[in-house]
Amino acid sequence: LHRLNLSNTSISDEVLDSILERVTRLRQLSVAHAKLQIIRNITRLVNLQSFDARRTSLDDSAIAYIQPLTGLVSLHLVQSFF
């Protein structure tokens, strides 16, 4: 699995973390408009190139989890509540 689109879903932080433990080869992840607040296991996605988290409720701690993803080419955080 290289692409996962969970936009406009009511996925919980816990369920997303569980999914991210299993799909470590993702290149694209979209959680736009989802009601997420934390994304701890995103650091496992070492191949991630695109992350879309527009209009989410991610908190400030999310930056610490996103920062190590040096392969990111596209990052969308517009209207996220940092």
Side-chain angles (χ1 to χ4, degrees):
L1 185 63
H2 295 286
R3 250 185 250 178
L4 183 59
N5 185 344
L6 297 169
S7 298
N8 297 305
T9 64
S10 58
I11 191 167
S12 70
D13 298 325
E14 295 80 16
V15 171
L16 179 62
D17 275 346
S18 177
I19 291 169
L20 296 184
E21 287 178 1
R22 295 169 175 81
V23 292
T24 57
R25 294 183 184 196
L26 279 183
R27 292 185 187 151
Q28 297 178 345
L29 175 61
S30 179
V31 293
H33 304 269
K35 295 180 174 147
L36 298 172
Q37 293 183 318
I38 190 77
I39 46 168
R40 287 181 291 271
N41 284 330
I42 197 169
T43 56
R44 295 175 177 255
L45 305 180
V46 296
N47 297 313
L48 197 64
Q49 298 172 350
S50 175
F51 180 51
D52 184 355
R54 290 174 288 157
R55 293 187 174 215
T56 61
S57 296
L58 292 176
D59 62 21
D60 291 343
S61 68
I63 294 296
Y65 297 106
I66 296 169
Q67 188 174 7
L69 301 173
T70 58
L72 276 179
V73 177
S74 176
L75 176 62
H76 298 279
L77 298 172
V78 175
Q79 294 182 340
S80 291
F81 300 102
F82 281 98

